[in-house]
Amino acid sequence: MSHKVDRKMQKAWLYEEYGPCEVLKVGDFPLPTPQHNQLLVHVRAAALNPIDSKRRQRPIFPSDFPVIPGCDMAGVVVGKGSGVTKFDVGDEVYGNIQDFNAKGQLKQLGTLAQYIAVEESLVALKPTNLSFEEAASLPLAVQTAIEGFIAAGFKEGQTVFIVGGAGGVGTLVVQLAKYYYGASLVAATTSTPKVDFVKSLGADIVIDYTKTKYEDIQEKYDFLYDTIGDTKNSFVVAKDDAPIIDITWPPFHPRAVYSSLTVCGDNLEKLRPYLESGKIKPVIDPTGPYSFMEVIKAFQYLETGRARGKVVISPFPT
């Protein structure tokens, strides 16, 4: 008995059970139809985030199987719903397509697929000087980074201490502190091989955490931004009344505030002049980009916690 496939299929990475990287496989998934406020985007590059791993390892977000992982992407608009006003077919866009604060389930179709559907409010035009790979590396990490400064009520001229200056979020926190928020002093921690790299991002002081303990740091800072969830130890560098932001859940120190993120295209749009002028630069881990068929290898590397900047997937099959 033959049955007709009435919808076009596309290649995507998916999983049908929770577990380690090995539950991922390449399969066929229906091509989405954009709703009235959505774009249909041909994905050219995607980036992996720790949330993609956590979501695959255990049911933290309700979702139907199979799940196609991935939040970040850059690509080309190939179709759009009737209510879309900001973008046209042919536009190069980028964004985080998963709005974690929206009601209901996360999208089943993430960005590790040839085509995705995304609300126009979640994406921005790709800065002209950035490659698809560079643009894809930014959205979730930069949205997370910005949210921390907002939650802390950070003011120009204040000092900031960043725990984990070389990671996906940390590399952007360092640059935002220096060039966007106007911090008077930017300190950041990293390991020995990455000290010069973190300095090159704009950190005034770089602390090698393998050689210096938090207790040995004399200066006290106006703002402690912890990107690795070490607030139970790092809190000692903050002034007594200083905000402490922790982007991991749950925060380990009673004074630490967990900062999530606001997912929208507007916060990407505001950064456009800083990206196009080269003041703020995307950082892609030098082991990548990983090709579409190397997604498992890319996740295995991400999950070592040793990435410098973002782990990016590109090219995608056309």
Side-chain angles (χ1 to χ4, degrees):
M1 178 180 142
S2 71
H3 59 277
K4 223 167 73 177
V5 177
D6 59 356
R7 287 194 66 181
K8 286 187 183 161
M9 302 298 274
Q10 60 165 332
K11 291 290 174 216
W13 280 92
L14 49 89
Y15 56 92
E16 296 175 282
E17 60 181 317
Y18 296 109
C21 298
E22 290 68 28
V23 299
L24 285 159
K25 56 184 190 242
V26 177
D28 290 319
F29 195 81
L31 214 60
T33 302
Q35 303 305 303
H36 76 283
N37 65 336
Q38 288 185 327
L39 306 170
L40 180 66
V41 179
H42 177 206
V43 179
R44 299 286 296 275
L48 306 186
N49 289 283
I51 191 67
D52 299 316
S53 296
K54 288 173 186 158
R55 186 185 174 198
R56 188 198 69 239
Q57 287 157 356
R58 58 186 189 277
I60 48 174
F61 295 105
S63 191
D64 296 328
F65 285 124
V67 174
I68 290 84
C71 302
D72 285 335
M73 66 85 208
V76 180
V77 178
V78 292
K80 62 179 194 172
S82 56
V84 170
T85 57
K86 293 202 300 211
F87 301 98
D88 287 312
V89 170
D91 285 348
E92 298 181 349
V93 296
Y94 76 122
N96 167 7
I97 74 161
Q98 294 285 11
D99 183 356
F100 301 98
N101 302 317
K103 288 185 171 64
Q105 301 190 336
L106 285 188
K107 293 186 179 79
Q108 188 182 357
L109 174 56
T111 59
L112 292 181
Q114 291 171 283
Y115 294 90
I116 53 105
V118 58
E119 294 73 24
E120 70 168 339
S121 61
L122 300 186
V123 303
L125 285 172
K126 180 177 78 63
T128 49
N129 59 320
L130 298 188
S131 66
F132 285 107
E133 291 78 12
E134 289 170 324
S137 78
L138 285 168
L140 192 149
V142 88
Q143 287 165 345
T144 303
I146 288 169
E147 196 78 10
F149 286 97
I150 294 169
F154 188 79
K155 294 177 181 63
E156 191 177 344
Q158 289 186 314
T159 61
V160 60
F161 188 96
I162 299 152
V163 181
V169 174
T171 51
L172 293 162
V173 174
V174 170
Q175 295 183 77
L176 287 166
K178 186 77 175 178
Y179 303 115
Y180 189 72
Y181 289 104
S184 59
L185 182 68
V186 180
T189 67
T190 194
S191 58
T192 316
K194 298 174 186 169
V195 168
D196 288 340
F197 164 65
V198 174
K199 272 196 178 127
S200 76
L201 296 173
D204 302 300
I205 299 169
V206 181
I207 292 109
D208 182 343
Y209 68 77
T210 66
K211 297 176 181 169
T212 306
K213 292 189 169 74
Y214 297 119
E215 294 76 37
D216 303 334
I217 294 162
Q218 299 301 309
E219 174 102 28
K220 297 288 185 248
Y221 289 81
D222 295 323
F223 174 28
L224 170 62
Y225 199 138
D226 195 317
T227 71
I228 65 168
D230 197 23
T231 51
K232 66 179 184 292
N233 301 308
S234 64
F235 77 96
V236 298
V237 305
K239 289 179 181 173
D240 288 345
D241 57 348
I244 298 174
I245 293 292
D246 190 336
I247 64 167
T248 63
W249 178 262
F252 285 105
H253 191 267
R255 259 175 66 205
V257 173
Y258 169 68
S259 170
S260 61
L261 71 163
T262 301
V263 182
C264 67
D266 290 350
N267 51 21
L268 301 176
E269 201 53 58
K270 281 181 193 141
L271 288 178
R272 174 190 290 278
Y274 296 85
L275 292 162
E276 292 193 335
S277 67
K279 271 200 175 123
I280 294 176
K281 296 180 176 69
V283 180
I284 294 177
D285 183 273
T287 62
Y290 292 79
S291 77
F292 186 77
M293 294 314 293
E294 294 177 309
V295 160
I296 292 175
K297 186 178 161 191
F299 267 116
Q300 286 167 337
Y301 175 65
L302 176 77
E303 289 166 25
T304 65
R306 291 200 291 269
R308 175 191 291 203
K310 292 305 301 270
V311 176
V312 171
I313 308 298
S314 181
F316 274 59
T318 48

